[in-house]
Amino acid sequence: MHSDPLSTQFAALADPTRRAILARLAQGEASVNELAEPFDMSLPAVSRHIKVLENAGLISRGRTAQWRPAKFEPLAMKSIADWLDQYRHFWESSFDRLDAYLKYIQTAGGNDERH
């Protein structure tokens, strides 16, 4: 198991089924049966995916009588977004350099004596 929360969250998000469950829960609470509908897998298998997401803090489970709805926990995504933001500057500066280079090529192409 992962010792730090961020690694646990990324490990949970590494599976496409769990990402699909998370996307569904971003639309609203749902039961295990509702979450299992689009998948060709057993309820225990879906429950295991839900447990991984719950252990990562990405979802929580409530209790209303017999119903235990799963709920998306958006604040847990903040640590992931904060980590990704560290690389935003890299991509933005790379795109700025690419944009400048493309403008240079267009200008140089317009001044090319072969045309």
Side-chain angles (χ1 to χ4, degrees):
M1 218 46 179
H2 304 284
S3 59
D4 66 291
L6 190 59
S7 294
T8 302
Q9 291 169 335
F10 273 113
L13 293 174
D15 186 277
T17 300
R18 291 193 285 266
R19 290 194 304 272
I21 290 171
L22 207 56
R24 166 56 186 88
L25 290 174
Q27 298 172 7
E29 294 182 356
S31 67
V32 173
N33 286 335
E34 291 168 331
L35 292 171
E37 284 177 11
F39 303 109
D40 186 24
M41 64 177 65
S42 67
L43 283 178
V46 172
S47 291
R48 282 191 295 273
H49 284 296
I50 291 171
K51 191 69 176 170
V52 170
L53 291 168
E54 189 176 10
N55 288 339
L58 297 169
I59 67 170
S60 62
R61 305 283 307 273
R63 180 176 291 280
T64 305
Q66 297 295 318
W67 196 52
R68 291 200 66 210
K71 177 183 168 188
F72 177 58
E73 292 293 340
L75 290 179
M77 298 293 283
K78 183 172 179 352
S79 58
I80 294 169
D82 289 346
W83 186 85
L84 290 172
D85 272 348
Q86 297 174 35
Y87 300 96
R88 183 182 311 276
H89 175 71
F90 167 77
W91 286 109
E92 288 176 351
S93 65
S94 295
F95 288 134
D96 288 346
R97 286 194 310 271
L98 178 61
D99 187 47
Y101 180 68
L102 292 174
K103 286 178 183 173
Y104 169 77
I105 289 175
Q106 288 173 340
T107 302
N111 294 332
D112 192 347
E113 293 181 7
R114 291 181 287 173
H115 293 274

